[in-house]
Amino acid sequence: MKFSALHILPRRPRKTKEEVGAVGHDPVPATVNLSPAMEGSPKTVHGRFRHKLKMHKILGFVPSPRSPKPIVESNPPQTEVALDFIENLKENRLVEACQQLLLREDQLFGQETMTVEGLGQVCNEDDKDMLQKDYETLLLHLWMAVHTTFSSTPSGEHLEILRSAVETIMLLEEKDQQWEGRPEGSREAPVWRPHQCRLTHDTLLEKMVESQMRNAAVEEDNISVSNVDNLSTSMKREVCRMGKRLKETILRVARDIRDCYPPDFDVCNLYVRLYHQKFSARLTELARSGLDVDDCNYLLCWVNNYYPNDILKHKDLEGHINIESLGTLLSEKDFTTLEEQYLLQKESTVRTWFSKALSKKEEGWLSGKSPELIDGYCFCPLAIDIIQAVDGAMREARTILGSEAKAQRILRQLDSFLISYKSSLEEFVKRTGENTQAVVKASLVNIEQFRDFIVRREESIPEEIKTSCMSTLADLRDCGYGYFTGPIHEELRVQYRRLWTQAWFTGGQMVLDEVLGKLDRHMQQFTDLKPICMEELLGRLHMEMMVEYVKRMMKKKMKLKDKEQQEAAAKLLAEDSSKLSTYFTEAGSKINWLSEVLPKMAEVVRLQDPGSIQLEIVTLARDFPDLSWRHISALLSLKDNLSTADVQGIKESLVENRPTVTTFNTIPPFFSKVPTGKTWCMGRPACICYGGRRYLSKD
């Protein structure tokens, strides 16, 4: 550091002998009368800046004679040796040296005497020149002490010199203020006033910080190999060196240097602000230089993670710096540009990886390869791989971008992948191959894992992405589970047609027993289906068989003419309900509320009093809000002894009470799945579709 740019005292022009006056100048008197501006010598500075100072002999002062002291034969006590200005500088006693100069300044500019021309100022010009030179020498030592703040590992001696320099700055600042606050009409201040040491100190620190950061950016790596040398580009190494230099310096300030300064200097915030400005300026230059993807990511890591978390939030800086006042390292425009570059690259990488992973699985499917068995169940790691990739990409994005919301953008790639996966699976199940069942079973595991991932993160995933993903997964579930349930329903269609016929009513054929017997034989093929998928499959079969049963009941093919027939039918209905519920519950179905449907309908069939029927219908509508009047009309048509007026009264009662009976219901829809027309198709008109296959309805 060169000191030519530092604050150098201006030279005061020498006065001629004539300007001084004919009487010349008197020796400095022993008694000094200070002007009001100069009142308060350095010896009166309070606190830790109070120092004892030996008075030099003053020219022209003749002490009065004193009586000789008696000679004491014992050893006299040691007395403190008074050092002169130069000796104090050599000993780095900057405060003592400064106080000597301040005293001389008071003596030169505070005296008043009588001359032949009246009251006037009499000063020794040579003494003024010498004082100005001594101030320059003091300031040089002062700035050298500040400049060497970080030149070596701090020691007690080094810190004491810095502390002395800071106290000296405060003394000189106080003297500046005294001169600035002098009364009007007072004599002119010395040419070296004001020193403005505080301003010069801050300017020197700024130049020191600039030099430190510039040197860190270009110097050879002196940091451990694992930290810097392994970084792949010069840009990364430069940013890392600058960041580490910044961290080391401000931690050193907080741990050691801070105690050398009074609180009003706010030295920790001063250093952090200066380093922040230099670091920000360099990172802005780099951000605008057209970085490649890797360098862009690294720069964003420093801006959003390393700098705010590892440096500014370091425990040793807590309570010493004001983070909010610093602002950001990059402007919003520069940061947005880098952020968009990063997200586009990350989305492209994730999308490419997903595509390759799915293509690899498709090749295995088409080659006839069966999925592996883990714990006896068909398993495919595709979902785990995709979820881990999404998690990893989002975790990285959160770290690099410093924002959870921005990281969620990567989830769009999961949505796109699920759509591609759905198309691939729908095409595959149309083929007939030895490995088809095993592939679909393994795919069902993947589908449930994807669904669980979305459900667990429901609150953090944007609504639009969540809705789209869940819709695609619902289609995937229909495709996968429908692949197995479709053929089962097709084989049972003959037995379904016998339900609620005369043969079923007379008991000549055990229709439901046949249905459950065939179903049980089909279920033997699912021993290698994972339990979570088996539970979902059983739930779907339970729901679909209940829907089929109620649909057959409402076909209007039977007329129960009297009380006996209606009670007999209600009994059969209750028995069938018990058989269905028992079978599916024991098999593993968790849809327990389905066991309530048929008993409530049986009660409507059994009752004879129109008022009681009316009350039961309202109760049924309360429990199943999707129950329509067409369903109720079909159910009542079984009771051949109900008059038109009775039916109309039931309808009016339902209309009147319906707005109040659906408020707190939580049972999922059921009757909306039951068609009431002549032709019924599960989800599509004129056909039933299971797992990508279509089965024509023959009813």
Side-chain angles (χ1 to χ4, degrees), residues 383-429:
I384 293 178
D385 293 341
I386 295 296
I387 290 172
Q388 287 180 346
V390 170
D391 260 341
M394 290 182 62
R395 185 166 52 252
E396 176 191 297
R398 280 194 299 270
T399 300
I400 290 179
L401 302 179
S403 169
E404 174 72 26
K406 294 173 182 176
Q408 298 289 355
R409 178 168 150 180
I410 295 175
L411 283 173
R412 296 177 185 173
Q413 303 310 311
L414 176 60
D415 185 26
S416 298
F417 168 80
L418 291 176
I419 293 173
S420 299
Y421 187 33
K422 170 177 168 288
S423 299
S424 297
L425 189 60
E426 287 176 345
E427 287 299 316
F428 177 73
V429 297

Side-chain angles (χ1 to χ4, degrees), residues 354-355 357-359 361-362 365 379-384 386 413-429 438-451 472-473 475-477 479-480:
F354 285 177
S355 178
L358 183 56
S359 296
K361 288 301 174 185
E362 289 174 338
W365 297 347
F379 177 78
C380 173
L382 180 62
I384 293 178
I386 295 296
Q413 303 310 311
L414 176 60
D415 185 26
S416 298
F417 168 80
L418 291 176
I419 293 173
S420 299
Y421 187 33
K422 170 177 168 288
S423 299
S424 297
L425 189 60
E426 287 176 345
E427 287 299 316
F428 177 73
V429 297
V439 168
V440 175
K441 290 175 182 177
S443 294
L444 288 175
V445 177
N446 285 328
I447 294 167
E448 295 303 327
Q449 289 173 335
F450 282 128
R451 190 173 184 276
T472 305
L473 286 170
D475 291 341
L476 274 165
R477 287 178 119 200
C479 175

Side-chain angles (χ1 to χ4, degrees), residues 170 195 231 385 393 409 533:
M170 296 182 66
H195 282 299
L231 295 175
D385 293 341
R409 178 168 150 180
C533 301

Side-chain angles (χ1 to χ4, degrees), residues 614 629 636 643-655:
Q614 177 177 304
W629 176 249
L636 295 178
S643 65
T644 303
D646 293 335
V647 173
Q648 185 63 29
I650 293 172
K651 182 177 181 180
E652 291 175 356
S653 174
L654 180 63
V655 170

Side-chain angles (χ1 to χ4, degrees), residues 371 378 428 433-443 483-484 525-526 528:
C378 294
F428 177 73
E434 294 182 358
N435 67 336
T436 305
Q437 282 199 10
V439 168
V440 175
K441 290 175 182 177
S443 294
Y483 175 80
F484 295 113
Q525 64 178 310
F526 300 114
D528 55 353

